[in-house]
Amino acid sequence: MNTLKDIPIAMLETILEEAIEWLVVVDKAGNIIYINRNYCHFLGVNREEVIGKHVSNVIENSRMHIVVKSGKEEIADLQYIKGNYMIANRIPIRSNGEVIGAFGTVFFRDAQEWMKMNSHVRSLFLKMQSYIQDIDSGVKYGLSDILAVSKSMNDLKEKVKMIAPSDISILICGESGTGKELFAHSIHQLSGRSHQPFVKVNCAAIPEHLLESELFGYEEGAFTGAKRGGKKGKFQLADGGTLFLDEIGDMPLNMQMKLLRALQEKEVEPIGSTKPISVDVRIIAATNRPLEKMMKEKRFREDLYYRISVVPFNIPPLRDRMEDLSVLCDYFIKKICKKAGKRISGIAKEVMNLFSRYQWPGNVRELENVIGASIHLSNGDMITMDSLPEHMREPSQFPLGEKKLKEILEETEKSLLMQSLKKYQNDKREAAKALGISKSTMYEKLKKYELS
C-alpha cells in the first residue's frame, strides 16, 4: 500500500468521519458537497438535507464561499459559531491550477481549548477579546437569527445575500423594535469585511458636543479633559470593516456635514489634529425617522441621504407580517424559559387571538418583553390572560399613534412591577428575583415610578 489509491474506501470514509472532527467541503459555487457527522451533530442539522445548500445558509459566519472566490487559504482564523469563537482552517481545492472548491476544518471547538495549548497564544487572544469589547464589535447576529415565514421578511433576507458582498452604503429603515441591528450584523457577516471590525455608533445616545470626538477621535491636549495620548474615533476603529450608524436621523445638522465630508474624502481629521487620516469603512445606517420628510423640512441633508442610501432597506412592522407571530412566540418562550429556569409549554388560544389583534407599536422588541413578563408572572405551564401585563388585557388603551413607544414601555414596566409586588405580597427581594433583576435595580425602578 504505497499510494492513496491503495487505501480502501471504507477506511477513507472512517478517516473523514472520525479523524477530522469537523469537516465541510464545498464546490466552486459555495454549495456543500460533503459534511461529516460530527459537524452536523454540532450544528443540529440533517446531513441529507444540507448537502447541496449554500454553505452560508448552514454554517454561521462561514467564509468558505469567499475562500473559493479568492483562492487564498485562511489558517487558524477565528469563527463565531453558536456563542463561541472557534479556530478554523479553510483551504482552496485546485485541479490543474483552477480552484474547484474548498474544504474547511475546525480544529479547536472553542477558544478555551486553544488557550490551554500555548500561553503566548492565550495572551494574544485575550488582547483580541479586549479590543473587540472596547469597540463594541462583537457581532452577535446572523441571518439565522432573523426568524420569519412571511414573504416580505424572507425577500429581505435574500436581498441581504445579494448586497452583502459589495461595499455599497445601505440605509435600513423601520420602526423601533423591528430588527434593524440584526440586519446590519447579517450584512457585515456575509461581506468580505466579516473578519474586520463591526463598530456601532448610536447617534441618538451621544450628546451633540461629544459626537464629533466619538466619530473622529482627538489628539492629546485637544481640549480640557482629553485623555493622555488622545483617542481613536469610531471611524479609525472600524478601518477595514463596517461602521454602523444607528439612529442617524437624530444626528445634528452640523455633524451631518462633517460626516458627509468624511464619507466623500474617505478620511477623518481628529479634533486638535492638522493632518487627515485615511480610512476604509463600509457604512450601514439605520433610522426610524421619516428622512424624506426631514429633508423637505431642512432637518436632514439631501446630499448625505443619497450618500448613505445607495440601497434602501425597509423592514416592515410586526403588524404587517402577523404570519411571523407564532414562530417568534415559540422562539422567545424557549429562549426566556432557558434563562429563567421555567417551564412554559405554550400560549393559550385566547392570548394568541389577542396577540393577533394587537397593533404591536414596539414591534418584535415589545413582543419579547411581553412574553418575558408573562413567563415570570405565570403560575402554570401556559401563558394565559392572567399572566399578561395589564395593558395587554386592554390593548385598546394604546391605539396606534397616540402614545410614543417609550411611554408604552414605561407604563408596561410600571404595571409589571405592581403585579409582581402584589403576587409576592410586597416582598421586593422575591419580586426582583422573579423578574430577573437585582435588588438595587428593583429599588431604582420603584423610586422612578413612585411605587416605594
Side-chain angles (χ1 to χ4, degrees), residues 314-370:
N314 297 296
I315 306 176
L318 181 55
R319 61 184 172 277
D320 290 346
R321 55 181 183 101
M322 294 302 282
E323 57 264 56
D324 293 331
L325 187 63
S326 180
V327 175
L328 291 167
C329 286
D330 289 344
Y331 171 75
F332 289 136
I333 288 173
K334 289 175 184 174
K335 173 186 172 183
I336 296 164
C337 283
K338 184 178 180 181
K339 187 176 179 181
K342 298 201 66 164
R343 291 185 179 180
I344 300 293
S345 59
I347 299 175
K349 187 176 180 180
E350 60 179 344
V351 174
M352 281 304 295
N353 289 336
L354 176 62
F355 281 5
S356 299
R357 297 193 305 269
Y358 186 59
Q359 289 294 303
W360 297 107
N363 293 291
V364 180
R365 185 185 295 128
E366 184 185 5
L367 174 64
E368 181 175 8
N369 289 341
V370 167

Side-chain angles (χ1 to χ4, degrees), residues 190-313:
L190 293 178
S191 75
R193 297 173 179 260
S194 60
H195 59 298
Q196 297 294 339
F198 176 87
V199 180
K200 175 185 173 182
V201 181
N202 189 321
C203 301
I206 302 171
E208 183 176 345
H209 66 284
L210 295 178
L211 190 54
E212 183 176 2
S213 63
E214 280 295 312
L215 285 174
F216 308 134
Y218 57 80
E219 295 292 313
E220 182 176 347
F223 50 82
T224 304
K227 278 185 182 178
R228 188 176 181 181
K231 179 184 176 182
K232 286 185 177 181
K234 301 297 187 185
F235 266 90
Q236 286 175 269
L237 293 174
D239 192 24
T242 302
L243 182 62
F244 177 41
L245 298 171
D246 199 10
E247 308 294 356
I248 195 169
D250 292 274
M251 181 177 284
L253 273 170
N254 68 314
M255 277 306 303
Q256 291 177 30
M257 181 178 66
K258 292 177 181 179
L259 172 62
L260 177 64
R261 181 187 175 282
L263 298 181
Q264 288 175 334
E265 304 297 329
K266 295 187 177 179
E267 61 182 29
V268 296
E269 195 169 297
I271 297 173
S273 173
T274 56
K275 240 196 264 183
I277 299 170
S278 296
V279 288
D280 169 29
V281 298
R282 182 191 194 166
I283 296 294
I284 301 177
T287 185
N288 60 5
R289 297 289 199 95
L291 295 189
E292 292 87 351
K293 181 183 177 185
M294 292 174 68
M295 284 191 291
K296 290 178 183 177
E297 297 169 352
K298 306 298 182 185
R299 292 188 293 130
F300 198 86
R301 294 181 63 101
E302 283 191 42
D303 44 9
L304 177 59
Y305 174 81
Y306 293 115
R307 187 82 191 184
I308 61 174
S309 62
V310 178
V311 175
F313 206 88

Side-chain angles (χ1 to χ4, degrees), residues 408-417 445 448-449:
I408 294 171
L409 294 178
E410 284 182 346
E411 290 187 30
T412 303
E413 188 173 56
K414 181 177 179 180
S415 173
L416 181 57
L417 289 167
K445 292 185 181 296
K448 176 182 176 181
Y449 298 116

